[in-house]
Amino acid sequence: MTRPHPDGISRIISRIAPDWPKTIDVGPGRFPLLARLDERLSKVAPHYVVHQVKSKFGSLCFYAQSSDDPQDYNEAFVDTIRAAEWESTSVCEECGDPAGTYTIGLWVWTLCPRHASERSGPNNAA
């Protein structure tokens, strides 16, 4: 059974463009950061459109545009996204606690020490 998303995540999913999968591919520790980002972006660009939300190299990657017009460029919108992506590099992907970057099994993660230890297990070095 699929658990419902928190309100902030559901709002972002509702903004995903029609031809894109309706998924948010980040750990639950990033949900509060994403909810705050949605609130800020909604003020800067009320009709913004999301294409993809994922983690890559331990950082949030939030691909969106300020409107459905591909020629529309909104510097405040872009700056707001970049600030959230930067903030994500210090927030545990699992729990939202302060975190560092770890390479585990050839993947880069941003995790608190507890989750890094759990993820690395006995056969991987964190």
Side-chain angles (χ1 to χ4, degrees):
M1 181 174 163
T2 303
R3 292 179 8 184
H5 294 291
D7 287 344
I9 302 306
S10 295
R11 284 192 304 270
I12 293 170
I13 290 171
S14 73
R15 291 179 174 278
I16 296 176
D19 294 337
W20 289 84
K22 303 280 186 202
T23 59
I24 303 290
D25 193 16
V26 301
R30 295 227 169 112
F31 287 177
L33 184 143
L34 285 172
R36 288 190 309 274
L37 176 60
D38 175 62
E39 287 176 17
R40 292 173 184 144
L41 291 177
S42 295
K43 292 175 184 170
V44 173
H47 303 290
Y48 84 91
V49 179
V50 174
H51 294 281
Q52 189 177 37
V53 181
K54 65 181 183 177
S55 291
K56 188 172 185 179
F57 299 113
S59 174
L60 171 68
C61 293
F62 193 92
Y63 301 102
Q65 58 192 63
S66 56
S67 73
D68 57 5
D69 177 1
Q71 300 301 316
D72 183 24
Y73 179 78
N74 182 322
E75 189 169 353
F77 181 82
V78 173
D79 290 346
T80 302
I81 292 171
R82 295 301 165 251
E85 289 174 335
W86 183 253
E87 181 183 348
S88 77
T89 65
S90 63
V91 175
C92 179
E93 298 177 43
E94 294 299 322
C95 67
D97 284 350
T101 303
Y102 297 84
T103 302
I104 303 168
L106 301 178
W107 289 91
V108 179
W109 304 92
T110 300
L111 301 166
C112 66
R114 178 174 65 93
H115 283 108
S117 178
E118 289 175 5
R119 179 133 336 185
S120 66
N123 297 325
N124 295 312

